[in-house]
Every structure is written in C-alpha cells, then in structure tokens.
Amino acid sequence: MSKPKILYIYDAICGWCFGFSPVMARFSDEYANKVDIAVVSGGLKLGDGVGTISEIAAFLKDAYLDVEAKTGVKFGEAFVNGPLEDGSMVLNSLPPAIALSIIKERYPEKALEFAGMLHKMIYVDGVGPENYAAYGQYAATLGYDEAEFYAKMLNPVYFEMAQRDFAYAKSLGVRSYPTLLIEKGGKMEVLASGYISYERLATLVDSKL
C-alpha cells in the first residue's frame, strides 16, 4: 500500500518558507516511514513581478524580523547588511526553480534538502537568485559536478520543468507560500497555508494518517 504524499508548495525567495525550512527538515526526518514528500516551486515572483528588493519588497526590511521572531531562524549578516540594506537583490523565482528541477531529476530524495540550501544561499549567504553560477556550488555538496550543474541551469529542458512546477502549483489553487497538501487514496486536500510549528504540522498529519 502506497504511503500518503505531502506536497510542499514553496518558493526559494519566500521569507516565510525560509522560516518554515527547519520545520520541514524535522518533519522529513521523523515521518520518512509514514509519508512521501514532494517539493513544488510555486512561482512567487515571475515575469513582470520580478524586481529588486527596493522595487517590489521593501517591506522585507522590517518583515524579516517578524519571521525571525516567530520561527527562530536567523537571516544572515551577509544578507541583512548587504542586499537587504541596499535593496539591490533581484527577487526572481525562476532561477532557483530551475536549480531545484535539476536536483529533482537526479536526486529526488534530496529535493527538500536542496530547497533548504536555496534559502540559505539567498537569506543567509546573501547570494542573489539571478547568480546562475552560484547554484552549482550548493549542488556540489549533494554530489553534483559544479560545471555540469551550471550548464544545466542554462538548458531549456530545466526551464520547462520549472514552468511545469509553477503551472502545477497554480492548478492546485495555491496562491501563497508555504502551502502543504496531502494526497491520500486519490484525494487531495490542503493541510496548511502559511507558517505553522512542527508540533502543529505533526498533529495535522497524524489526523489524516
């Protein structure tokens, strides 16, 4: 009998998803034998929505403190004192979604771990999402050849895979991140939308198993 599947609809540039990342990591560790987990890139900022922090997300300069207070994560000094302060980082959901697609193709079991690395890249290390060359450095820690990964970042195949993620999230009616859904017995339902604690997540999942 197949295990229920948890769909984690997230976005690499979503600050609340960054705050939720440790919750999902713990959940993955403790529920690995009970559920399968699939990570889907949602597409928070795409097309005309792409822009610098100053242009489209100036609220981050205060909101990140709320994320820290509620979730316990810490935004890195490299981010806070660099691109957040000067507002220069371009927030674009597409490049990290391409990177995640590359990982999901070869190492699907490492998708959640890599999603957490993407948050670290942006919100701890202060590396902008449009720095295509940087992704291979993080993927290399999972066993990927850095040069091969960079080449794939520029390959249209993975662009299309990222677009399919965005379309799938949209088809599920997801408009905010993080969102969790559970698929069981051919039926799909929303578990939670927005940040929740590990204890709350465990309780919700247990009620569905």
Side-chain angles (χ1 to χ4, degrees):
M1 185 176 179
S2 61
K3 292 184 288 187
K5 179 185 287 186
I6 301 296
L7 289 177
Y8 174 37
I9 317 296
Y10 102 118
D11 198 284
I13 66 170
C14 165
W16 283 105
C17 295
F18 170 50
F20 191 54
S21 191
V23 173
M24 284 303 298
R26 180 181 173 188
F27 176 75
S28 177
D29 287 342
E30 300 196 15
Y31 278 75
N33 295 325
K34 297 180 180 180
V35 301
D36 292 323
I37 299 174
V39 187
V40 179
S41 297
L44 180 61
K45 295 295 181 183
L46 297 168
D48 292 342
V50 173
T52 65
I53 289 174
S54 291
E55 292 170 331
I56 65 170
F59 64 88
L60 266 176
K61 294 189 177 184
D62 294 318
Y64 87 93
L65 295 171
D66 294 334
V67 176
E68 288 187 336
K70 184 166 184 177
T71 72
V73 301
K74 295 296 291 183
F75 288 73
E77 291 185 10
F79 171 73
V80 174
N81 298 328
L84 179 63
E85 184 173 331
D86 63 33
S88 62
M89 181 182 283
V90 175
L91 297 178
N92 184 348
S93 296
L94 178 58
I98 292 172
L100 183 63
S101 295
I102 297 169
I103 290 294
K104 287 200 291 187
E105 178 191 55
R106 182 176 296 180
Y107 302 128
E109 74 284 359
K110 298 181 180 180
L112 182 64
E113 181 181 359
F114 190 67
M117 289 184 184
L118 294 176
H119 288 312
K120 178 181 182 296
M121 170 182 147
I122 296 167
Y123 286 125
V124 178
D125 300 337
V127 178
E130 294 195 331
N131 186 343
Y132 276 65
Y135 291 94
Q137 299 171 24
Y138 295 86
T141 67
L142 299 181
Y144 230 111
D145 178 77
E146 189 172 332
E148 179 187 0
F149 198 88
Y150 176 64
K152 288 186 173 182
M153 286 293 300
L154 306 178
N155 188 325
V157 168
Y158 300 98
F159 170 87
E160 292 298 330
M161 289 174 67
Q163 294 293 336
R164 286 198 291 273
D165 258 19
F166 300 147
Y168 183 44
K170 187 175 181 179
S171 75
L172 293 171
V174 176
R175 297 292 184 271
S176 62
Y177 318 101
T179 291
L180 292 170
L181 300 95
I182 186 168
E183 184 178 7
K184 181 182 179 183
K187 297 181 179 180
M188 184 98 68
E189 63 178 296
V190 175
L191 269 180
S193 183
Y195 175 84
I196 56 174
S197 67
Y198 170 79
E199 291 74 19
R200 178 60 178 156
L201 174 58
T203 298
L204 287 170
V205 172
D206 287 344
S207 72
K208 302 297 182 180
L209 297 181

